Amino acid sequence: MAYPDDLLSSGEHVVIHKHPHWKMLIFPVFWLVVVVVLGIYLAGLVASLSWAPVALIVLAVVALVLVVWLTVAPVLRWRTTHFILTSDRVMYREGVFKRTGLDIPLGRVNSVRFEHSLLDRMLGCGTLVIESASDEPLEFDDIPSVEKVHTMLYREVNDNPSDDFQPRGV
């Protein structure tokens, strides 16, 4: 899914657009399976009781609340989190109801590095650390193909034609 072009300035184009790595969805899917299996098991236990209709309704409501809280909310959070590298800036957007955004102009980026553990290396993700003119380095966790993103960001910062040194009078 491409980032909306109307949010970009003129002449700016998207180089990379990523959501967080799919490993963030492991626990929400796990909890979905647990809630469904446990709900089916408990529904089977209460089915023979005299007050089964009420118990099944209560069970369904509790299961629905758990699925929304433990599965739907994290999936929506994952889906609405964007890491975007454009020809002019690095953008990070997150949030469903309360949106938060961060833009770093490429001219302000001092250094870029990445970190990933053994598990992250096996899954193909990691943490991208961008040092800019701000006080502290900014860390972006669970970036898929973090080495590729690191390389592309480094290229965009260093290959930016407006930043090239051009001596006068030569």
Side-chain angles (χ1 to χ4, degrees), residues 2-152:
Y3 199 70
D5 290 334
D6 60 339
L7 299 178
L8 303 175
S9 59
S10 63
E12 184 178 20
H13 65 276
V14 174
V15 177
I16 292 177
H17 177 205
K18 302 269 186 184
H19 292 285
H21 193 264
W22 58 263
K23 80 175 188 178
M24 290 184 65
L25 300 175
I26 292 173
F27 284 116
V29 169
F30 168 77
W31 286 118
L32 176 65
V33 170
V34 167
V35 168
V36 168
V37 168
L38 191 61
I40 291 171
Y41 175 74
L42 292 175
L45 287 178
V46 299
S48 61
L49 299 175
S50 61
W51 46 278
V54 173
L56 289 174
I57 291 172
V58 169
L59 190 61
V61 168
V62 169
L64 182 65
V65 167
L66 286 174
V67 165
V68 167
W69 180 42
L70 297 172
T71 302
V72 174
V75 168
L76 280 175
R77 215 172 300 120
W78 172 82
R79 187 72 180 120
T80 59
T81 300
H82 304 270
F83 179 86
I84 304 113
L85 171 62
T86 72
S87 55
D88 296 339
R89 59 190 162 153
V90 175
M91 299 187 300
Y92 187 77
R93 304 285 188 265
E94 66 181 345
V96 179
F97 299 112
K98 178 187 170 195
R99 296 284 292 163
T100 304
L102 172 71
D103 289 8
I104 306 169
L106 291 181
R108 301 273 178 149
V109 174
N110 295 334
S111 68
V112 182
R113 66 184 168 93
F114 65 90
E115 303 169 352
H116 50 163
S117 65
L118 180 61
L119 179 63
D120 285 342
R121 288 178 69 189
M122 291 188 319
L123 293 175
C125 65
T127 300
L128 187 68
V129 181
I130 300 175
E131 293 184 24
S132 65
S134 67
D135 294 336
E136 296 180 16
L138 301 168
E139 294 187 5
F140 302 98
D141 297 322
D142 298 321
I143 302 293
S145 307
V146 70
E147 291 185 50
K148 178 183 174 190
V149 173
H150 170 265
T151 302
M152 294 300 291

